[in-house]
Amino acid sequence: MINLIRKLLILNILVFSSLPLLAFSSSSYLISQSAFNNYDYSDALSSFSDEEIKLSGSNLVDKMISAVIVEDINLAFNIASEILIEDNENQEAIIVKLVFLYSNKIYNKVKETQKILKEKNDLVNFIFFNNNELKDNKTISKSLVDIVVSSFSTAEQNTLNYNFLLFYTSLAQIIDNTNDRATLIKGELFQNIQKSKLAEEYFLRILPSSSFYLEAQRSLAINYSNFLSYEEAQKQIKILIKNNDNNYSLKKILA
């Protein structure tokens, strides 16, 4: 299975890193593209105009990715549908469509799509099916997370495509909003690209009842130590330690 994921990863990273350049340079496009490249996905979405969307397929793909990462699956589905009109084999758009259909319990449409793609889309089969049987939402979510986690063993850290990683992690959250592992990973991805406020938001989503809670608290402490002033970081980490029964791993970060 690991070898299969690696093969699928290589293909998808190539797709993500080779999207065509746009042939125009209007101000709103430049703003949206700059926001996208700087991982400001909400700003990237707000800067797209309808006229520019019609002009560029890659602009549309960027918008779809941004919509997924901000977890607006309805908007992402609408964009994916538009992409598939022009390119019915666009892998990311197909996966967004299937996540939308599954999330809305339209399972017959998911199966119909799989029958069409069965012989030519191993990634769709890996994510959604097991021996031609549709997986449950938790297993699909786990498969999406497995793709993200496996990427860390197939690429150098400085070559990681964070749009790719955040896209698949967000899909995992959308299809199973109880997947705290996906939530934790998404926070850590935002932390890696120095989006500390977003990272904090995702770490705080994980409740004390979760098996990932202490790991999230530790990541939150690291986030404070990396991005806050010394005094403020010390204050916030001390609060975390107090709230977590003087947890040793948190004390180590304070030290």
Side-chain angles (χ1 to χ4, degrees), residues 88-186:
N88 63 7
E89 294 186 356
N90 183 285
Q91 183 132 266
E92 285 66 48
I94 291 168
I95 292 170
V96 168
K97 174 185 173 181
L98 292 176
V99 167
F100 173 84
L101 292 172
Y102 195 104
S103 298
N104 286 277
K105 300 182 174 21
I106 312 175
Y107 304 127
N108 61 318
K109 292 293 184 182
V110 177
K111 293 175 182 177
E112 285 177 15
T113 303
Q114 191 257 357
K115 287 178 181 177
I116 297 169
L117 298 171
K118 183 177 178 181
E119 301 302 326
K120 56 183 179 180
N121 201 311
D122 290 337
L123 185 60
V124 165
N125 287 327
F126 170 77
I127 294 170
F128 293 95
F129 293 88
N130 183 21
N131 295 325
N132 293 323
E133 292 295 322
L134 190 59
K135 296 177 179 178
D136 62 41
N137 69 317
K138 291 185 182 300
T139 311
I140 293 172
S141 184
K142 180 182 181 301
S143 296
L144 289 160
V145 170
D146 285 344
I147 291 171
V148 175
V149 172
S150 294
S151 69
F152 288 95
S153 63
T154 60
E156 296 292 332
Q157 294 297 302
N158 61 354
T159 64
L160 287 172
N161 187 321
Y162 281 93
N163 295 325
F164 166 86
L165 299 173
L166 285 163
F167 175 76
Y168 280 96
T169 306
S170 300
L171 288 173
Q173 285 186 296
I174 289 166
I175 208 159
D176 177 15
N177 60 14
T178 68
N179 188 341
D180 286 340
R181 187 186 184 205
T183 302
L184 176 65
I185 290 171
K186 190 167 182 177

Side-chain angles (χ1 to χ4, degrees), residues 10-46:
I10 290 169
L11 173 62
N12 278 273
I13 290 171
L14 287 173
V15 170
F16 263 71
S17 59
S18 61
L19 293 172
L21 294 175
L22 300 181
F24 58 91
S25 57
S26 71
S27 60
S28 59
Y29 161 68
L30 292 175
I31 292 169
S32 66
Q33 193 66 11
S34 175
F36 184 79
N37 290 336
N38 288 308
Y39 312 112
D40 294 323
Y41 300 106
S42 295
D43 289 345
L45 280 174
S46 65

